[in-house]
Amino acid sequence: VRVAVCPVEELAVGSRRIVTAGEGGIGVFNVDGKLYALANRCPHAGGPLCRGVLTGTTEPGTGHEVRWVREGRVLRCPWHSWEFDIATGRTLTKPTVATKTFSVVVEDGTIYVEV
Ligand code: FES
């Protein structure tokens, strides 16, 4: 089933929309001009994942250093801060766990998700 999200010009780079579809909705994100859609349901405890901040994360550097990486590509759940790759829906710390992702298409100036 195809669900209309909004006209393409209404989803600017860096913005998101949460549409009523699936269980708890689906979040559609414009990240640097690329569109991603994820279930608004965190696999940890069912939190509203797509209302979380889109940020980066840390990873070990050399020695005692910590590096900031993946800026703008990590979705952090607002309930307990689990972090997810915006493109794959997988958690960063346990990649076997993921939230569902959906295909996004743009047709005649409208964004749709395939549910
Ligand atoms: S419900 Fe998302 S981290 Fe717990």
Side-chain angles (χ1 to χ4, degrees):
V1 178
R2 212 175 238 205
V3 176
V5 178
C6 64
V8 70
E9 66 270 13
E10 288 184 14
L11 195 71
V13 169
S15 66
R16 73 184 72 179
R17 276 288 173 96
I18 298 176
V19 293
T20 306
E23 291 175 36
I26 295 173
V28 184
F29 297 77
N30 182 339
V31 181
D32 296 332
K34 220 165 167 225
L35 302 175
Y36 300 100
L38 292 81
N40 185 30
R41 192 169 191 288
C42 179
H44 174 223
L49 175 60
C50 296
R51 298 196 185 282
V53 65
L54 195 56
T55 182
T57 192
T58 53
E59 76 178 20
T62 51
H64 295 294
E65 286 174 16
V66 173
R67 284 186 307 207
W68 184 250
V69 294
R70 302 190 192 210
E71 173 61 33
R73 306 192 57 82
V74 174
L75 185 58
R76 186 179 296 152
C77 181
W79 280 12
H80 316 100
S81 299
W82 279 29
E83 294 176 331
F84 297 79
D85 183 307
I86 190 72
T88 65
R90 293 179 193 280
T91 59
L92 299 188
T93 47
K94 197 174 183 186
T96 51
V97 177
T99 194
K100 199 167 179 194
T101 58
F102 302 88
S103 300
V104 186
V105 293
V106 178
E107 205 172 277
D108 297 331
T110 300
I111 298 170
Y112 298 90
V113 284
E114 310 268 10
V115 181

